[in-house]
Amino acid sequence: MTMLPARETFRDWTPYLLFLLSSATIGPLLFGYHLAELNEPQEVITCAPQKANPLTTTSPNFPQCIPMDPLQFGLVSSFFTLGGLVGALCGGPITTNYGRLKAMLVAAIFAAIGLGAGASTVIVPIYISEMAPPGQKGFFGSFTQVSINVGILITQFLGLFLSRGQLWRIILAVGGAIAVAQFVALMLAGQESPKWLAENGQAVRAKRVLRRMRGHEANIDEEVAGWGLGSEQDLDDEEETLLSGEDHITHHSSSNGAPQDGQPAVGDREQRSVGSLTHSKTAAKAEQAVKTLGFLAVLQNPDMRRAVLAVVMIMVAQQLCGINSIVMYGVSLLSGLLQANAALLNVLVAVLNVVVTISAAPLVDKLGRKPCLLMSIAGMGVNSLLLAIGIMHSIPVLSAIAVLLFVASFGLGLGPVPFLLSSELVAAEAVGATQSWALAANWVATFVVAQFFPLVNEKLGQGQVYFVFAAFAAVSGGLTVWLIPETRGKRDADEVWGRKGDD
């Protein structure tokens, strides 16, 4: 696929589309926010002696800190991942059966009370993939990871100023406020995915939404045809049939006067007939286009099984290569080596993560998904080795550089691309279930890192755990070569897996 010219690219970025995507990506932002919110204030929360402040006034209702050892703190951090696992399992079926918008609204409600960030990582990547202009799905799909990184950056920045006394509680409260803001934005001006509307018997409405998103001068024939419900002209004819039928009913009713007692009006009969015909045509097309596969059905379907395995593998690799050891424990990990600069380094890491992910987003469409993944995994593996050496031998400069390059490598591919593949490797009827499998695996892997990293790092000795992450990177690279097909420029999952010859 050739890259679109700059003018054509930006022409597709209507204000309405950008608003819809911005509102949706607040969900992944909250995921990143909650993932890292305990990193900066860890020593304050756990009553670390060096953070004790005898001048701090304690509230009679709330203690200043909660005494915890590394294992207990790891357990607290991992609780978030268990909640995320539940959200991932529930998010797929909800978004498939009730729509992307309703699913995001429910997730925002739960996020406001601290429970819903996990579901958004299932729902939002699907929504973005269906809303993004053709040829730019890789670029816009990267914004799931960009939003996660922005959430991490916000909480790390707040932690610089609020990691003392009881102010750390404000960091937790801000997450709830962000969720409320998302709910209000979605409730007042949110919009359902046109692809989901088309696949659920609302093709005419879907075309109207798509036209508004793309702009009135845009050619949407290819996208409409991709729904499997005919061309834009077919939908125009269907809409015109409905409207002309209504006009005929109005004229016929007025010319025949009021109906006799006990008899339905001619207009009423014709209106039911036209409405029934239009609904039947749309419903028949929708039924032909999509028959949703459930959570277990995708594993039983031979065309989907390998795709689910590929997506699960890359989602697990995203976590077992070690990124959350920095996101969740970077300050405590590096504090002995960098002293007061550890917190500042984590903020710089968060900034770098955002910048690299945004900068690398076009590469996903230009170079392809698989090359970006392989470069990313290789970079993380090499820098895991350098970080292990830097920490073990107390080399601050090497450790700092290795951390920055480690995070930059993650942003190049292993951060954004797995979220894209969940919706590109399978057909529309399996996207929700596959996304649930993918994010469930991701959350389980996140739980393993969150729960056991502090303990393993302590048992092996400072820094040696990164040899383990380097080994995981080597294995992940090999599995990526074997299992992951290239999806760039492919219209659908059949083309990705070479099944077009069966049509």
Side-chain angles (χ1 to χ4, degrees):
M1 175 181 289
T2 57
M3 293 294 291
L4 295 173
R7 285 184 62 185
E8 186 176 344
T9 297
F10 290 114
R11 185 182 65 191
D12 292 335
W13 296 11
T14 62
Y16 186 56
L17 172 66
L18 295 178
F19 169 79
L20 293 176
L21 294 182
S22 298
S23 301
T25 52
I26 294 175
L29 182 149
L30 281 169
F31 163 68
Y33 185 94
H34 290 305
L35 192 66
E37 65 189 346
L38 300 183
N39 183 5
E40 203 90 24
Q42 175 180 346
E43 292 183 337
V44 176
I45 295 173
T46 58
C47 306
Q50 61 268 33
K51 289 291 183 178
N53 187 354
L55 300 179
T56 302
T57 303
T58 59
S59 166
N61 298 320
F62 299 102
Q64 176 183 330
C65 58
I66 306 168
M68 285 182 279
D69 59 30
L71 180 60
Q72 292 170 326
F73 187 77
L75 183 62
V76 171
S77 298
S78 63
F79 279 161
F80 173 68
T81 67
L82 293 178
L85 173 61
V86 174
L89 294 174
C90 296
I94 292 174
T95 191
T96 298
N97 295 319
Y98 299 102
R100 315 329 185 193
L101 179 60
K102 289 181 180 178
M104 288 190 292
L105 284 168
V106 172
I109 292 172
F110 280 103
I113 57 176
L115 299 175
S120 67
T121 58
V122 173
I123 303 162
V124 174
I126 299 174
Y127 185 74
I128 292 176
S129 177
E130 295 176 348
M131 303 288 273
Q136 300 179 53
K137 294 186 182 296
F139 176 79
F140 279 98
S142 298
F143 278 75
T144 297
Q145 187 61 41
V146 170
S147 299
I148 292 173
N149 295 341
V150 169
I152 294 171
L153 174 60
I154 292 173
T155 192
Q156 300 281 41
F157 182 76
L158 291 176
L160 277 180
F161 303 99
L162 299 176
S163 296
R164 61 179 185 271
Q166 298 200 45
L167 296 180
W168 57 268
R169 289 184 169 87
I170 297 176
I171 301 175
L172 308 184
V174 168
I178 295 173
V180 171
Q182 183 191 25
F183 178 82
V184 171
L186 292 174
M187 195 69 184
L188 295 180
Q191 183 57 262
E192 184 54 78
S193 155
K195 189 172 188 293
W196 186 89
L197 291 173
E199 292 168 353
N200 287 271
Q202 302 181 58
V204 173
R205 181 187 167 196
K207 194 204 74 174
R208 290 175 181 167
V209 173
L210 183 63
R211 171 64 65 195
R212 185 181 177 192
M213 282 169 40
R214 300 289 181 257
H216 293 291
E217 297 181 0
N219 185 347
I220 61 174
D221 282 341
E222 182 180 350
E223 285 188 84
V224 172
W227 297 340
L229 304 176
S231 66
E232 182 186 5
Q233 184 62 45
D234 293 334
L235 296 182
D236 286 338
D237 292 343
E238 185 176 322
E239 185 175 12
E240 187 174 341
T241 299
L242 181 59
L243 293 175
S244 63
E246 291 174 349
D247 291 341
H248 173 70
I249 291 164
T250 303
H251 174 74
H252 199 87
S253 298
S254 61
S255 63
N256 284 279
Q260 296 181 5
D261 293 341
Q263 295 182 351
V266 175
D268 290 343
R269 293 197 302 268
E270 293 186 0
Q271 186 174 17
R272 285 195 296 270
S273 177
V274 172
S276 176
L277 175 62
T278 303
H279 176 75
S280 298
K281 288 170 64 180
T282 304
K285 291 176 181 178
E287 184 177 358
Q288 183 179 8
V290 175
K291 293 181 180 178
T292 303
L293 293 177
F295 193 67
L296 295 178
V298 292
L299 298 181
Q300 298 167 351
N301 188 311
D303 288 341
M304 307 297 174
R305 194 179 300 124
R306 185 181 176 188
V308 173
L309 175 62
V311 172
V312 166
M313 183 281 296
I314 202 64
M315 280 293 188
V316 171
Q318 186 189 64
Q319 298 304 319
L320 294 189
C321 285
I323 186 62
N324 279 329
S325 67
I326 301 297
V327 171
M328 302 178 75
Y329 301 110
V331 172
S332 60
L333 175 72
L334 300 172
S335 59
L337 192 63
L338 301 176
Q339 298 178 357
N341 294 322
L344 182 59
L345 177 63
N346 267 265
V347 174
L348 294 177
V349 164
V351 172
L352 178 66
N353 209 355
V354 173
V355 171
V356 170
T357 307
I358 293 176
S359 302
L363 295 178
V364 177
D365 285 322
K366 187 174 182 179
L367 300 179
R369 283 55 161 160
K370 194 168 183 175
C372 287
L373 279 175
L374 292 173
M375 289 188 292
S376 176
I377 293 171
M380 293 185 74
V382 170
N383 285 289
S384 288
L385 295 175
L386 295 178
L387 182 57
I389 294 170
I391 295 175
M392 288 173 60
H393 297 282
S394 300
I395 309 173
V397 174
L398 178 60
S399 300
I401 293 175
V403 166
L404 294 174
L405 293 178
F406 179 84
V407 172
S409 298
F410 177 79
L412 177 62
L414 199 54
V417 172
F419 293 104
L420 291 174
L421 295 179
S422 298
S423 59
E424 292 182 341
L425 290 179
V426 296
E429 63 267 27
V431 168
T434 302
Q435 194 82 319
S436 287
W437 275 112
L439 270 300
N442 186 279
W443 280 107
V444 170
T446 304
F447 170 80
V448 170
V449 174
Q451 173 64 46
F452 296 108
F453 175 79
L455 181 63
V456 174
N457 187 50
E458 186 177 48
K459 295 296 184 183
L460 291 181
Q462 288 293 313
Q464 296 187 53
V465 68
Y466 284 93
F467 290 125
V468 178
F469 289 137
F472 277 125
V475 173
S476 299
L479 290 175
T480 299
V481 172
W482 179 42
L483 289 176
I484 304 294
E486 181 55 65
T487 62
R488 180 177 70 102
K490 307 297 175 63
R491 181 170 179 173
D492 54 30
D494 286 332
E495 188 176 351
V496 169
W497 295 104
R499 296 193 291 259
K500 280 296 183 182
D502 298 335
D503 294 344

